[in-house]
Amino acid sequence: MQTAVLESALPFSSKKAMSKSSGENGQDFEFCEVCRLNHDQGRRHKYFPSHARALAAVLARFHGKLSDIRFFLRNPSSLSPEHAVLNHLWCLFCRCDLRELGSSFACSNTIKHLASSEHLRNLKEFLRKHGGGMDRVDSFRVSEAELLKWEKGCETLNNATTSSCERSIGPSTGSSKDIQYALTSSDMDNFEKNSINSFVSNASHSVMPLQCPTNENYDNQHDPAVSGSTIGGFIPHIATSWSVDIQGNIGLPGTYVFGSVSRHLSDGHPSCLASNAKSLIGWPLRNVIDQRTDSNGGSNEVLQNFTPISLPAEACQANMHTGAPPPWLEISEENMANNDPNVYRLALPSSSTGKSRKLNPKRVGAAWADKRRAELEMEKRGETLPKSCDANWLPNFGRVWQAGTRKESRKEFELEKRKLHENESPSGFSSKIHPYISKRMCVRSDEDCVPNGHVKENRNTL
Amino acid sequence: MASFGLGKMSDFLLPTLSRKRDVDCIIRDTLDKVLVLRFGRAADPLCLHFDEILSKTSREVSKFATIALVDVDSEEIQVYVKYFDITLVPSTVFFFNAHHMKMDSGTADHTKWVGSFHSKQDLIDVVEAIFRGAMKGKLIVSCPLPPERIPRFQLLFKDV
């Protein structure tokens, strides 16, 4: 008997999850999204402890993700396009993937979705179906008040960035004041923890291209607020403390941010960036503001604690900005040029220097091998050898039926060969060797015997 | 001119030597490697089987051995046939740095390996044993194979 499949309007109940057969309890099988199993327990399933445990785990996981989003809800920050691709969230209640493509602020699409009525409806349905308490609805959504606050923050951020871009180079007290206002309007306590995105956004919009050299000869007239030497010593400190702060508190890779810091340090105006960085790290803003509002000499108070690095004049000529290769690559190139012959020699299988060192000097034919190798090298160089290979040359061979040294066996063979050649001379005597015939065999054939007892040689040739 | 003998399913060509000068050169120029000289005929079935194993194994042993085939029917090679006392084919003679290497395999003839091998690994083991012995300065080594895998033959003194 076929059971009609109930199509639920809720998005989180999948159609394929509904089974057509009935279970032992007489109820249709259902697929529980939380427990990820098929059951025929009906509505009682949500009261089972296993389901409660699974639900608690799922909601806790989603709650953790929402906590990150809540930070950006409280601290609106702009989102770069390269990061937009990476950011996405799976909404458990609506069963949809929330991506940040095309959004200009961090978690913009997610925040808007969480504040939507559709999400609220799905959330309520989910909690109703799977349990978990309806009092937790607000913890999984964004209220209208929070959304309004966030939108105001985004608007302020937009205004701040546009105003800072229009300003000239130099310590812009106005922009710093705006940023300060933007920061003070949000939760200042979170700066020590999560200030990366804010820093990046501020840096990308507020830093102007470098128009003055940042070496030790930086003229103070160009930058009345801060001296060049102190800046040179200040920036590394900022960078170092920044990276430490990142790695210690946030756990995100500090390399990217550090890279962005270094990039902006090289391109942007140092004083402006330093002030922003200082404020974002969480240092007391009062110090920065006081320095900005003070006279030009007063702004050097904090900067004087750092030791400036004096670069040699030669270093200014070739550096990464001029496109020169790094010093470690130059050294390696020199080493490669010097070591090439050695490497090539070692790579040769018949190289004498490499092999002779490794091989056992007591191996068989070691002297012969060295001598022959030298001869081959001489031949390669084109030198004529005093002795050429004789056509009658033979290796030392331990023959089967000979006793004595191998040299003796070779001499014996050469003697035999000489005798063979002599025997093949005009005498015509065949030197075929016949098998041994015993006397008994001769006795059997008495007719062949000569009366004087001599055995007639049997000339059976084989 | 050395010709190259190609096994049926071999992926490595083995040189076939038919002149004394080529054999002399290969013996003299193979340095710090075992030289495996197979004396036999291309038409002989046992030689074909042995050549197959040799060609398949040549790559594995290429770092410590060189393999070459010698045609026993060649006129120039007869001096080597007589010098090495080759009466049965295939016969394999081993050299290291132009020095003849003997192997005690329990047979009557320690100067050469008579017959083929059961598998590639047997050949590799034998060549490796010879190489190791040669590197230690030994001119005669023990055969690493078990007796059942060593081909037996009767050695006749001058055809008797």
CSV table of all heavy atoms in Angstrom, one decimal, chain A residues 75-118:
chain,number,residue,atom,x,y,z
A,75,ASN,N,30.6,46.4,15.3
A,75,ASN,CA,31.7,47.2,14.7
A,75,ASN,C,31.6,47.1,13.2
A,75,ASN,O,32.3,46.2,12.6
A,75,ASN,CB,33.0,46.7,15.2
A,75,ASN,CG,33.0,46.6,16.7
A,75,ASN,OD1,32.7,47.6,17.4
A,75,ASN,ND2,33.3,45.4,17.2
A,76,PRO,N,30.9,47.9,12.5
A,76,PRO,CA,30.8,47.8,11.1
A,76,PRO,C,32.2,48.1,10.5
A,76,PRO,O,32.9,49.0,10.8
A,76,PRO,CB,29.8,48.8,10.7
A,76,PRO,CG,29.1,49.2,12.0
A,76,PRO,CD,30.1,48.9,13.1
A,77,SER,N,32.5,47.3,9.5
A,77,SER,CA,33.8,47.5,8.8
A,77,SER,C,33.6,47.1,7.4
A,77,SER,O,32.8,46.3,7.0
A,77,SER,CB,34.9,46.6,9.5
A,77,SER,OG,34.5,45.2,9.4
A,78,SER,N,34.4,47.7,6.6
A,78,SER,CA,34.3,47.5,5.1
A,78,SER,C,35.0,46.2,4.8
A,78,SER,O,35.8,45.7,5.5
A,78,SER,CB,34.9,48.6,4.3
A,78,SER,OG,36.3,48.6,4.6
A,79,LEU,N,34.5,45.6,3.7
A,79,LEU,CA,35.0,44.3,3.3
A,79,LEU,C,35.6,44.4,1.9
A,79,LEU,O,35.1,45.0,1.0
A,79,LEU,CB,33.8,43.3,3.2
A,79,LEU,CG,34.1,41.9,2.8
A,79,LEU,CD1,34.9,41.2,3.9
A,79,LEU,CD2,32.8,41.1,2.6
A,80,SER,N,36.9,43.9,1.8
A,80,SER,CA,37.6,44.0,0.5
A,80,SER,C,37.1,42.9,-0.4
A,80,SER,O,36.6,41.8,0.1
A,80,SER,CB,39.1,43.8,0.7
A,80,SER,OG,39.3,42.6,1.4
A,81,PRO,N,37.1,43.0,-1.7
A,81,PRO,CA,36.5,42.0,-2.6
A,81,PRO,C,37.2,40.7,-2.5
A,81,PRO,O,36.6,39.6,-2.6
A,81,PRO,CB,36.8,42.6,-4.0
A,81,PRO,CG,37.0,44.1,-3.7
A,81,PRO,CD,37.5,44.3,-2.4
A,82,GLU,N,38.5,40.7,-2.2
A,82,GLU,CA,39.2,39.4,-2.1
A,82,GLU,C,38.7,38.6,-0.9
A,82,GLU,O,38.7,37.4,-0.9
A,82,GLU,CB,40.7,39.5,-2.1
A,82,GLU,CG,41.2,40.4,-1.0
A,82,GLU,CD,41.4,41.8,-1.6
A,82,GLU,OE1,40.8,42.2,-2.5
A,82,GLU,OE2,42.3,42.6,-1.0
A,83,HIS,N,38.3,39.3,0.1
A,83,HIS,CA,37.8,38.6,1.3
A,83,HIS,C,36.3,38.2,1.2
A,83,HIS,O,35.8,37.3,1.9
A,83,HIS,CB,37.9,39.4,2.6
A,83,HIS,CG,39.4,39.6,2.9
A,83,HIS,ND1,39.9,40.8,3.3
A,83,HIS,CD2,40.4,38.7,3.0
A,83,HIS,CE1,41.2,40.6,3.5
A,83,HIS,NE2,41.5,39.4,3.4
A,84,ALA,N,35.6,38.9,0.3
A,84,ALA,CA,34.2,38.7,0.2
A,84,ALA,C,33.9,37.3,-0.3
A,84,ALA,O,32.9,36.6,0.0
A,84,ALA,CB,33.6,39.7,-0.8
A,85,VAL,N,34.8,36.8,-1.1
A,85,VAL,CA,34.7,35.4,-1.7
A,85,VAL,C,34.8,34.4,-0.6
A,85,VAL,O,34.1,33.3,-0.6
A,85,VAL,CB,35.7,35.2,-2.8
A,85,VAL,CG1,35.6,33.8,-3.4
A,85,VAL,CG2,35.6,36.3,-3.9
A,86,LEU,N,35.6,34.7,0.3
A,86,LEU,CA,35.9,33.7,1.4
A,86,LEU,C,34.8,33.6,2.4
A,86,LEU,O,34.7,32.6,3.1
A,86,LEU,CB,37.2,34.0,2.0
A,86,LEU,CG,38.4,34.0,1.1
A,86,LEU,CD1,39.7,34.5,1.9
A,86,LEU,CD2,38.7,32.7,0.5
A,87,ASN,N,34.1,34.7,2.6
A,87,ASN,CA,33.1,34.8,3.7
A,87,ASN,C,31.8,34.2,3.2
A,87,ASN,O,31.2,34.6,2.3
A,87,ASN,CB,32.9,36.2,4.1
A,87,ASN,CG,34.1,36.8,4.8
A,87,ASN,OD1,35.0,36.0,5.2
A,87,ASN,ND2,34.3,38.1,4.7
A,88,HIS,N,31.3,33.2,4.0
A,88,HIS,CA,29.9,32.7,3.7
A,88,HIS,C,29.5,31.9,5.0
A,88,HIS,O,30.3,31.4,5.8
A,88,HIS,CB,29.9,31.8,2.5
A,88,HIS,CG,30.7,30.5,2.6
A,88,HIS,ND1,30.0,29.3,3.0
A,88,HIS,CD2,32.0,30.2,2.5
A,88,HIS,CE1,30.9,28.4,3.1
A,88,HIS,NE2,32.1,28.9,2.8
A,89,LEU,N,28.2,31.9,5.1
A,89,LEU,CA,27.6,31.2,6.3
A,89,LEU,C,26.4,30.4,5.9
A,89,LEU,O,25.6,30.8,5.0
A,89,LEU,CB,27.2,32.3,7.3
A,89,LEU,CG,26.5,31.7,8.6
A,89,LEU,CD1,27.5,31.1,9.5
A,89,LEU,CD2,25.7,32.8,9.3
A,90,TRP,N,26.3,29.2,6.4
A,90,TRP,CA,25.2,28.3,6.2
A,90,TRP,C,24.2,28.6,7.3
A,90,TRP,O,24.4,28.3,8.4
A,90,TRP,CB,25.7,26.9,6.1
A,90,TRP,CG,24.5,25.9,6.1
A,90,TRP,CD1,24.0,25.2,7.1
A,90,TRP,CD2,23.8,25.5,4.9
A,90,TRP,NE1,23.0,24.4,6.6
A,90,TRP,CE2,22.8,24.6,5.3
A,90,TRP,CE3,23.8,25.9,3.6
A,90,TRP,CZ2,21.9,24.0,4.4
A,90,TRP,CZ3,22.9,25.3,2.7
A,90,TRP,CH2,22.0,24.4,3.1
A,91,CYS,N,23.0,29.1,6.9
A,91,CYS,CA,21.9,29.3,7.8
A,91,CYS,C,21.2,28.0,8.1
A,91,CYS,O,20.6,27.4,7.2
A,91,CYS,CB,20.9,30.3,7.3
A,91,CYS,SG,19.6,30.7,8.5
A,92,LEU,N,21.3,27.6,9.4
A,92,LEU,CA,20.8,26.3,9.8
A,92,LEU,C,19.2,26.2,9.6
A,92,LEU,O,18.7,25.2,9.3
A,92,LEU,CB,21.2,26.0,11.2
A,92,LEU,CG,20.7,24.7,11.9
A,92,LEU,CD1,21.3,23.5,11.2
A,92,LEU,CD2,21.0,24.7,13.4
A,93,PHE,N,18.6,27.3,9.9
A,93,PHE,CA,17.2,27.3,10.0
A,93,PHE,C,16.5,27.5,8.6
A,93,PHE,O,15.5,26.9,8.3
A,93,PHE,CB,16.7,28.5,10.9
A,93,PHE,CG,17.4,28.5,12.2
A,93,PHE,CD1,18.4,29.5,12.5
A,93,PHE,CD2,17.2,27.5,13.2
A,93,PHE,CE1,19.0,29.5,13.7
A,93,PHE,CE2,17.9,27.5,14.4
A,93,PHE,CZ,18.8,28.5,14.7
A,94,CYS,N,17.2,28.3,7.8
A,94,CYS,CA,16.6,28.5,6.5
A,94,CYS,C,17.2,27.6,5.4
A,94,CYS,O,16.8,27.5,4.3
A,94,CYS,CB,16.9,30.0,6.0
A,94,CYS,SG,16.3,31.2,7.2
A,95,ARG,N,18.3,26.9,5.8
A,95,ARG,CA,19.0,26.0,4.9
A,95,ARG,C,19.4,26.7,3.6
A,95,ARG,O,19.1,26.2,2.5
A,95,ARG,CB,18.1,24.8,4.6
A,95,ARG,CG,17.9,23.9,5.9
A,95,ARG,CD,17.1,22.6,5.5
A,95,ARG,NE,17.9,21.8,4.5
A,95,ARG,CZ,18.9,21.0,4.8
A,95,ARG,NH1,19.2,20.9,6.1
A,95,ARG,NH2,19.5,20.3,3.9
A,96,CYS,N,20.1,27.8,3.8
A,96,CYS,CA,20.6,28.5,2.7
A,96,CYS,C,22.0,29.0,3.0
A,96,CYS,O,22.3,29.2,4.1
A,96,CYS,CB,19.7,29.6,2.3
A,96,CYS,SG,19.5,30.9,3.6
A,97,ASP,N,22.7,29.1,1.9
A,97,ASP,CA,24.1,29.6,2.0
A,97,ASP,C,24.2,31.1,1.8
A,97,ASP,O,23.7,31.6,0.8
A,97,ASP,CB,25.0,28.9,1.0
A,97,ASP,CG,26.5,29.0,1.4
A,97,ASP,OD1,26.8,29.3,2.5
A,97,ASP,OD2,27.3,28.7,0.5
A,98,LEU,N,24.7,31.8,2.8
A,98,LEU,CA,24.8,33.2,2.7
A,98,LEU,C,26.2,33.7,2.4
A,98,LEU,O,27.1,33.4,3.1
A,98,LEU,CB,24.4,33.9,4.1
A,98,LEU,CG,23.1,33.4,4.7
A,98,LEU,CD1,22.9,33.8,6.2
A,98,LEU,CD2,21.9,33.9,3.9
A,99,ARG,N,26.3,34.3,1.2
A,99,ARG,CA,27.6,34.7,0.7
A,99,ARG,C,27.7,36.2,0.7
A,99,ARG,O,26.6,36.9,0.6
A,99,ARG,CB,27.8,34.1,-0.7
A,99,ARG,CG,27.9,32.6,-0.7
A,99,ARG,CD,28.5,32.1,-2.0
A,99,ARG,NE,28.7,30.7,-1.9
A,99,ARG,CZ,29.9,30.2,-1.6
A,99,ARG,NH1,30.9,30.9,-1.3
A,99,ARG,NH2,30.0,28.9,-1.4
A,100,GLU,N,28.9,36.7,0.8
A,100,GLU,CA,29.1,38.1,0.9
A,100,GLU,C,29.5,38.7,-0.4
A,100,GLU,O,30.2,39.7,-0.5
A,100,GLU,CB,30.1,38.4,1.9
A,100,GLU,CG,29.8,37.9,3.3
A,100,GLU,CD,28.5,38.6,3.8
A,100,GLU,OE1,28.3,39.8,3.5
A,100,GLU,OE2,27.7,37.9,4.5
A,101,LEU,N,29.2,38.0,-1.5
A,101,LEU,CA,29.6,38.6,-2.8
A,101,LEU,C,28.9,39.9,-3.1
A,101,LEU,O,27.7,40.0,-3.0
A,101,LEU,CB,29.3,37.6,-3.9
A,101,LEU,CG,30.0,36.2,-3.8
A,101,LEU,CD1,29.5,35.2,-4.9
A,101,LEU,CD2,31.5,36.4,-4.0
A,102,GLY,N,29.7,40.9,-3.4
A,102,GLY,CA,29.1,42.1,-3.8
A,102,GLY,C,28.8,43.0,-2.6
A,102,GLY,O,28.3,44.1,-2.8
A,103,SER,N,29.0,42.6,-1.4
A,103,SER,CA,28.8,43.4,-0.3
A,103,SER,C,30.0,44.2,0.1
A,103,SER,O,31.1,43.8,-0.1
A,103,SER,CB,28.4,42.6,0.9
A,103,SER,OG,29.4,41.7,1.2
A,104,SER,N,29.7,45.4,0.5
A,104,SER,CA,30.8,46.3,0.8
A,104,SER,C,31.2,46.3,2.2
A,104,SER,O,32.3,46.8,2.6
A,104,SER,CB,30.5,47.8,0.3
A,104,SER,OG,29.3,48.1,1.0
A,105,PHE,N,30.4,45.8,3.1
A,105,PHE,CA,30.7,45.7,4.5
A,105,PHE,C,30.7,44.3,4.9
A,105,PHE,O,30.1,43.4,4.3
A,105,PHE,CB,29.6,46.5,5.3
A,105,PHE,CG,29.6,47.9,5.1
A,105,PHE,CD1,28.7,48.5,4.2
A,105,PHE,CD2,30.6,48.8,5.6
A,105,PHE,CE1,28.7,49.9,3.9
A,105,PHE,CE2,30.6,50.1,5.4
A,105,PHE,CZ,29.7,50.7,4.5
A,106,ALA,N,31.5,44.0,6.0
A,106,ALA,CA,31.7,42.7,6.5
A,106,ALA,C,30.3,42.1,7.0
A,106,ALA,O,29.7,42.8,7.8
A,106,ALA,CB,32.7,42.6,7.6
A,107,CYS,N,30.0,40.9,6.5
A,107,CYS,CA,28.8,40.2,7.0
A,107,CYS,C,27.5,41.0,6.7
A,107,CYS,O,26.5,40.9,7.4
A,107,CYS,CB,28.9,39.9,8.5
A,107,CYS,SG,30.3,38.9,8.9
A,108,SER,N,27.6,41.7,5.7
A,108,SER,CA,26.4,42.6,5.4
A,108,SER,C,25.2,41.7,5.0
A,108,SER,O,24.1,41.9,5.6
A,108,SER,CB,26.8,43.5,4.2
A,108,SER,OG,25.7,44.1,3.7
A,109,ASN,N,25.4,40.9,4.1
A,109,ASN,CA,24.3,40.0,3.6
A,109,ASN,C,23.8,39.1,4.8
A,109,ASN,O,22.6,38.9,4.9
A,109,ASN,CB,24.7,39.1,2.4
A,109,ASN,CG,25.0,40.0,1.2
A,109,ASN,OD1,24.6,41.1,1.1
A,109,ASN,ND2,25.7,39.4,0.3
A,110,THR,N,24.7,38.6,5.6
A,110,THR,CA,24.3,37.8,6.7
A,110,THR,C,23.5,38.5,7.7
A,110,THR,O,22.5,38.0,8.2
A,110,THR,CB,25.6,37.2,7.3
A,110,THR,OG1,26.4,36.6,6.3
A,110,THR,CG2,25.2,36.2,8.4
A,111,ILE,N,23.9,39.7,8.0
A,111,ILE,CA,23.2,40.5,9.0
A,111,ILE,C,21.8,40.9,8.5
A,111,ILE,O,20.8,40.8,9.2
A,111,ILE,CB,24.0,41.8,9.3
A,111,ILE,CG1,25.3,41.4,10.1
A,111,ILE,CG2,23.2,42.8,10.1
A,111,ILE,CD1,26.3,42.5,10.3
A,112,LYS,N,21.8,41.2,7.3
A,112,LYS,CA,20.4,41.5,6.7
A,112,LYS,C,19.5,40.3,6.7
A,112,LYS,O,18.3,40.4,6.9
A,112,LYS,CB,20.6,42.1,5.3
A,112,LYS,CG,21.1,43.5,5.3
A,112,LYS,CD,21.4,43.9,3.8
A,112,LYS,CE,22.1,45.3,3.8
A,112,LYS,NZ,22.6,45.7,2.5
A,113,HIS,N,20.1,39.2,6.4
A,113,HIS,CA,19.3,37.9,6.4
A,113,HIS,C,18.8,37.6,7.8
A,113,HIS,O,17.6,37.2,8.0
A,113,HIS,CB,20.1,36.8,5.8
A,113,HIS,CG,19.4,35.4,6.0
A,113,HIS,ND1,18.4,35.0,5.2
A,113,HIS,CD2,19.6,34.5,7.0
A,113,HIS,CE1,18.0,33.8,5.6
A,113,HIS,NE2,18.7,33.5,6.7
A,114,LEU,N,19.7,37.7,8.8
A,114,LEU,CA,19.3,37.4,10.1
A,114,LEU,C,18.2,38.3,10.7
A,114,LEU,O,17.5,38.0,11.6
A,114,LEU,CB,20.5,37.4,11.0
A,114,LEU,CG,21.6,36.3,10.8
A,114,LEU,CD1,22.8,36.5,11.6
A,114,LEU,CD2,21.0,34.9,11.0
A,115,ALA,N,18.2,39.5,10.1
A,115,ALA,CA,17.2,40.5,10.6
A,115,ALA,C,15.9,40.4,9.8
A,115,ALA,O,14.9,41.0,10.1
A,115,ALA,CB,17.7,41.9,10.4
A,116,SER,N,15.9,39.5,8.8
A,116,SER,CA,14.7,39.4,7.9
A,116,SER,C,13.6,38.7,8.6
A,116,SER,O,13.8,37.9,9.5
A,116,SER,CB,15.0,38.8,6.6
A,116,SER,OG,15.5,37.4,6.8
A,117,SER,N,12.4,38.9,8.1
A,117,SER,CA,11.2,38.2,8.7
A,117,SER,C,11.2,36.7,8.3
A,117,SER,O,10.7,35.9,9.0
A,117,SER,CB,9.9,38.9,8.3
A,117,SER,OG,9.9,38.9,6.8
A,118,GLU,N,11.7,36.4,7.2
A,118,GLU,CA,11.7,35.1,6.7
A,118,GLU,C,12.6,34.2,7.6
A,118,GLU,O,12.2,33.1,8.0
A,118,GLU,CB,12.2,35.0,5.3
A,118,GLU,CG,12.1,33.6,4.6
A,118,GLU,CD,12.7,33.6,3.3
A,118,GLU,OE1,13.1,34.6,2.7
A,118,GLU,OE2,12.9,32.5,2.8
